[in-house]
Amino acid sequence: MSPRTLILKTIGLFGLWILLSGKLDAFHLSIGFFGAALIAWINTEPQHLDEPPLPLARLVLYLPWLFWEVVKSSLNITKIILDPKLPINPRLVQYPTNLGSNTAVVLLGNSITLTPGTVTIEVSSSKLVIHALDDESSNELESRSMEQKIAEVFHSRGQT
Amino acid sequence: MIRPHDSVIVHTLARVFTPIIQLFALYVLIHGHDSPGGGFQAGTLFAASVILPVIAFGIQGSLAVLERRAIILGAVGILLYAGIGLLPLILGGEFLNYGELPIPGMETSARRHWGILGIETGVTLTVAATAVSIYYSLRERGEEEGK
Amino acid sequence: MLTVDTLLIFIGLFFLTVAAIGVIRLPDVFSRSHALGITDTLGNFFVLTGVAFYQGLTLADVKIFLILLALWHLNPVISHATLRAALRNGVRPWIKEKK
Amino acid sequence: MITLYHFFFLTITILILVYMYRVFRGPTVYDRILGLNGISTKAIIMLTILGSLYERLEMFVDIALGYAVLNIIGGLAVGKYLEQKRTREC
């Protein structure tokens, strides 16, 4: 049982505390540190201690790409809503995935929901059910570019 | 019985956000005097951070120990409040006059600061315990009707 | 007088208005959630960054960023949970009739 | 003094009224929940704009954060309740 997760969590929470509090005197810093350590200890169950940490650097690189996708599809949906004919073609898409780890699937599901035009409805470790609003969004979904990106984020660590 | 929510997304959300909510509640409690907040709001946030895992993982989720002991925690909170409030009264001041607190080697303003902090902690404990036990008793009521 | 902050807020308000129109116009609960998605992402982003520019860089800006981060994580989860409940309780998505 | 921020405030109020139409009209209960979620998001934005109006941004931002947190828990609880209500009846 390695306490690495515990230490990482404490550091992360302490950083958040400094951002929130903004006061750097001894009283607030010490309360923040002990509070962060206590909260990390309460919320870490023994079976979570050995989980691999998230590939944070790659995740940070993924976010701008996701943001650009969001902007593109937002403009698309804006066009559809403002169109007087309302050219929508909603459908449910079955989306099998083999990402493996739960965290990756959750990231995929949340990214899909965050992109306007597609919403994750059901989620399990091997399949997602997605509601797509129009043809363009479902084509975007079929191209699986998002899944590839997420697979890059999570798997390249194992190969090297 | 409160069943777990069976969506992986909700599970991950609860695991990531429970500590963050607790940290935010601590921040609201400690910074009560120079930002909006204080005991009541911090208590509500603490209660929320207990209820969120229960929604996601069911009653076996983390901190389920609190189920029966929540009321005791609330009583401790009230005792803290009343104790700090009554101490100045016994020593010849008014109720909740923190300046009269018998803490050696401290300025009056520092005494006020620590007195307020103690009171707020008591309020936080009581509010959180009450909200959590309300949530648990709602569950028990639903169970009886289901039978 | 059009400064950076008001310009950003105007763009954000445009997206918020579009989302509100979508919530009224679209036919069923699933498609309405797409319209809400625009608010949750772009509308919030532009309005909140606009407000952050208003006072210059202070600690409040960090917290605005935290709010943005929280909204980006939390709102998709609410949409997901609500729509899942809808689908499991027998609400069928609206489908365009073939002509 | 009327500033642009008053105008922003007014616009968001009108948007909330639009969402209120969806909340009252329905037709399903899920529409109402989504409408309420939209209203809470607008309320969070409104709080930050109110903060810049009163020049107390750091204070209103704290309120907005707490509101966002409580909003998600409320939404999740209602969603889960609606999901399980039917399975229990069957």
Side-chain angles (χ1 to χ4, degrees):
Chain A
M1 196 168 92
S2 78
R4 192 179 54 178
T5 320
L6 210 59
I7 293 171
L8 282 179
K9 245 183 194 173
T10 309
I11 292 173
L13 286 173
F14 187 50
L16 187 66
W17 170 271
I18 292 176
L19 283 185
L20 277 173
S21 152
K23 287 187 179 166
L24 295 176
D25 54 297
F27 171 68
H28 288 98
L29 278 185
S30 56
I31 287 234
F33 181 74
F34 287 116
L38 181 71
I39 289 168
W41 179 67
I42 288 177
N43 287 294
T44 308
E45 287 155 42
Q47 69 264 29
H48 293 153
L49 273 177
D50 287 330
E51 278 179 9
L54 286 173
L56 276 180
R58 290 174 199 284
L59 221 53
V60 169
L61 286 180
Y62 168 72
L63 289 181
W65 182 83
L66 177 67
F67 185 74
W68 180 236
E69 287 296 304
V70 166
V71 171
K72 269 196 302 189
S73 54
S74 282
L75 291 177
N76 179 29
I77 299 296
T78 307
K79 234 171 18 195
I80 288 173
I81 289 175
L82 293 181
D83 194 322
K85 280 185 304 214
L86 208 63
I88 59 171
N89 184 14
R91 73 187 73 166
L92 285 179
V93 182
Q94 310 278 329
Y95 190 90
T97 174
N98 50 4
L99 280 176
S101 85
N102 268 347
T103 325
V105 174
V106 168
L107 185 62
L108 177 65
N110 257 1
S111 309
I112 287 174
T113 314
L114 205 54
T115 322
T118 46
V119 172
T120 314
I121 295 178
E122 291 279 349
V123 54
S124 70
S125 54
S126 60
K127 203 180 81 179
L128 289 89
V129 177
I130 297 161
H131 186 267
L133 183 64
D134 66 323
D135 295 331
E136 197 170 318
S137 345
S138 46
N139 289 340
E140 181 70 37
L141 213 56
E142 295 295 334
S143 74
R144 292 180 170 264
S145 52
M146 196 171 265
E147 191 184 353
Q148 270 170 20
K149 277 278 178 186
I150 291 176
E152 277 172 29
V153 169
F154 277 88
H155 287 296
S156 43
R157 172 185 294 259
Q159 286 160 6
T160 48
Chain B
M1 138 138 216
I2 299 176
R3 273 169 289 177
H5 198 294
D6 54 354
S7 163
V8 200
I9 292 184
V10 176
H11 286 184
T12 311
L13 174 102
R15 260 186 56 201
V16 173
F17 272 82
T18 310
I20 295 180
I21 296 173
Q22 280 165 359
L23 192 82
F24 185 59
L26 188 68
Y27 160 75
V28 169
L29 170 64
I30 299 294
H31 293 251
H33 49 76
D34 56 356
S35 71
F40 196 88
Q41 289 86 333
T44 319
L45 283 167
F46 269 124
S49 77
V50 177
I51 291 173
L52 179 62
V54 175
I55 287 177
F57 302 113
I59 202 69
Q60 284 86 15
S62 60
L63 291 181
V65 212
L66 275 178
E67 189 184 356
R68 296 286 165 213
R69 313 228 161 93
I71 280 304
I72 301 176
L73 218 63
V76 171
I78 292 181
L79 273 182
L80 200 61
Y81 186 96
I84 295 178
L86 282 175
L87 218 54
L89 195 65
I90 296 166
L91 295 172
E94 296 94 16
F95 187 58
L96 288 182
N97 185 352
Y98 312 113
E100 306 273 338
L101 278 179
I103 311 172
M106 236 186 229
E107 306 270 320
T108 314
S109 66
R111 281 181 192 167
R112 291 224 160 89
H113 183 93
W114 285 95
I116 290 176
L117 207 59
I119 291 276
E120 295 285 5
T121 314
V123 174
T124 307
L125 278 177
T126 310
V127 170
T130 313
V132 168
S133 46
I134 286 176
Y135 185 75
Y136 283 130
S137 26
L138 280 178
R139 174 205 56 146
E140 278 157 12
R141 179 73 182 270
E143 246 172 30
E144 284 163 18
E145 280 171 359
K147 274 171 194 168
Chain C
M1 161 193 90
L2 207 61
T3 47
V4 183
D5 57 323
T6 46
L7 185 70
L8 282 172
I9 295 180
F10 267 121
I11 298 174
L13 281 183
F14 168 72
F15 282 114
L16 293 187
T17 318
V18 167
I21 294 172
V23 167
I24 294 297
R25 279 191 80 192
L26 290 169
D28 73 336
V29 60
F30 298 99
S31 33
R32 277 174 205 138
S33 73
H34 298 300
L36 264 180
I38 300 182
T39 330
D40 291 345
T41 53
L42 276 195
N44 284 348
F45 174 77
F46 280 117
V47 175
L48 288 180
T49 36
V51 173
F53 269 110
Y54 176 66
Q55 284 189 326
L57 277 177
T58 55
L59 192 69
D61 288 358
V62 179
K63 285 181 193 165
I64 283 183
F65 180 67
L66 287 180
I67 291 182
L68 200 59
L69 223 58
L71 284 178
W72 274 41
H73 281 91
L74 300 181
N75 277 333
V77 179
I78 296 189
S79 287
H80 161 72
T82 313
L83 292 183
R84 210 177 71 127
L87 192 75
R88 290 198 172 178
N89 284 337
V91 179
R92 288 295 135 213
W94 181 90
I95 293 173
K96 192 159 93 177
E97 288 134 26
K98 292 273 184 292
K99 282 173 190 168
Chain D
M1 196 186 90
I2 304 289
T3 61
L4 265 177
Y5 275 75
H6 285 95
F7 169 73
F8 297 147
F9 193 75
L10 197 70
T11 317
I12 294 182
T13 316
I14 293 169
L15 288 182
I16 287 183
L17 288 179
V18 172
Y19 280 96
M20 282 306 253
Y21 168 79
R22 187 43 75 202
V23 172
F24 283 123
R25 186 66 198 285
T28 64
V29 67
Y30 310 103
D31 289 289
R32 296 171 208 264
I33 298 175
L34 275 190
L36 279 179
N37 184 22
I39 291 179
S40 349
T41 314
K42 299 298 164 303
I44 291 164
I45 294 181
M46 218 162 165
L47 279 172
T48 56
I49 288 184
L50 208 60
S52 358
L53 257 177
Y54 290 154
E55 308 277 336
R56 294 293 304 274
L57 195 56
E58 72 284 351
M59 196 171 126
F60 280 86
V61 160
D62 281 356
I63 307 177
L65 256 177
Y67 191 75
V69 165
L70 294 182
N71 170 33
I72 167 73
I73 291 171
L76 274 184
V78 174
K80 195 184 167 198
Y81 167 72
L82 287 172
E83 195 176 307
Q84 294 193 348
K85 198 175 73 151
R86 196 183 153 87
T87 39
R88 186 178 291 167
E89 278 165 4
C90 289

